[in-house]
Amino acid sequence: MMAETEAASAAAAAEAGPAEEGRSKTVVLVGVDDSDHSYRALEWAVLYVAETAGAGAPVELVVVHAKPAVSSVVTLGGPAAAGDVVRYVDADLRRRAEEVVDRARRLCAANSVQGVVEVIDGEPRFVLCNAVEKHHADLLVVGSHGYGAIKRAFLGSVSDYCAHHAHCSVMIVKQPKPKE
């Protein structure tokens, strides 16, 4: 029930319109990665933007993928090994980013929604909060991995961080609970 209340509050805040006077459109920013959780958030955001635009309200979609920096992935080996490993990891991170962006663009096109798509190097929680500021977003949409308290303590939670630090409403899209 609390998730429904949070969803309704975030949607109502976004529907209320642009936060700043004189702005002509609502900006919806969605964070994506290669997980099903973020793809579900993207689906929600695209449908929300399509419905809002269909109702005649000016709305812009910004899709952001935070590509991890190679240095955050590569921490082993000597200088000789590091060069080869860095090139390999960087190529893999770029390939994965292209796949995420392509998937996002296909979903937008399938729903006749145009959006700005950006790939930014960095830690997702910081990239998303900075992108909110850069684009003056009115609503940030992120997926939830559904980590428990212990996993969240060790791995951190992008959605939790953004809910507390983003300067706009935050919609956390959760996976539906499996029916028993």
Side-chain angles (χ1 to χ4, degrees):
M1 191 65 159
M2 186 172 180
E4 290 174 7
T5 304
E6 289 172 0
S9 296
E15 286 176 15
E20 297 175 23
E21 297 243 351
R23 292 222 353 239
S24 62
K25 65 185 170 211
T26 299
V27 178
V28 177
L29 192 139
V30 60
V32 296
D33 59 20
D34 58 355
S35 71
D36 289 338
H37 305 282
S38 81
Y39 193 70
R40 183 160 176 77
L42 176 62
E43 288 174 328
W44 187 94
V46 166
L47 292 175
Y48 175 79
V49 166
E51 287 174 13
T52 304
V59 62
E60 178 182 5
L61 178 66
V62 179
V63 180
V64 175
H65 172 65
K67 183 174 83 61
V70 175
S71 61
S72 70
V73 178
V74 178
T75 58
L76 59 108
D84 291 338
V85 171
V86 166
R87 281 190 291 280
Y88 176 76
V89 170
D90 187 49
D92 186 57
L93 290 172
R94 287 180 193 276
R95 180 188 55 77
R96 287 173 61 196
E98 287 174 17
E99 290 171 359
V100 169
V101 166
D102 287 344
R103 188 175 181 187
R105 285 190 175 123
R106 284 194 308 271
L107 179 65
C108 289
N111 289 278
S112 301
V113 170
Q114 291 188 356
V116 174
V117 180
E118 295 182 355
V119 176
I120 303 169
D121 288 352
E123 174 68 31
R125 66 190 81 211
F126 304 127
V127 166
L128 292 175
C129 287
N130 289 338
V132 162
E133 296 298 316
K134 173 184 170 188
H135 292 281
H136 306 287
D138 299 292
L139 177 65
L140 170 61
V141 181
V142 293
S144 172
H145 286 273
Y147 294 146
I150 295 173
K151 258 191 175 174
R152 231 182 6 257
F154 285 106
L155 299 176
S157 168
V158 172
S159 59
D160 185 59
Y161 182 89
C162 290
H164 289 92
H165 294 89
H167 295 289
C168 67
S169 296
V170 177
M171 166 59 91
I172 300 171
V173 179
K174 296 184 176 189
Q175 295 286 40
K177 188 174 184 177
K179 295 180 180 177
E180 297 175 10

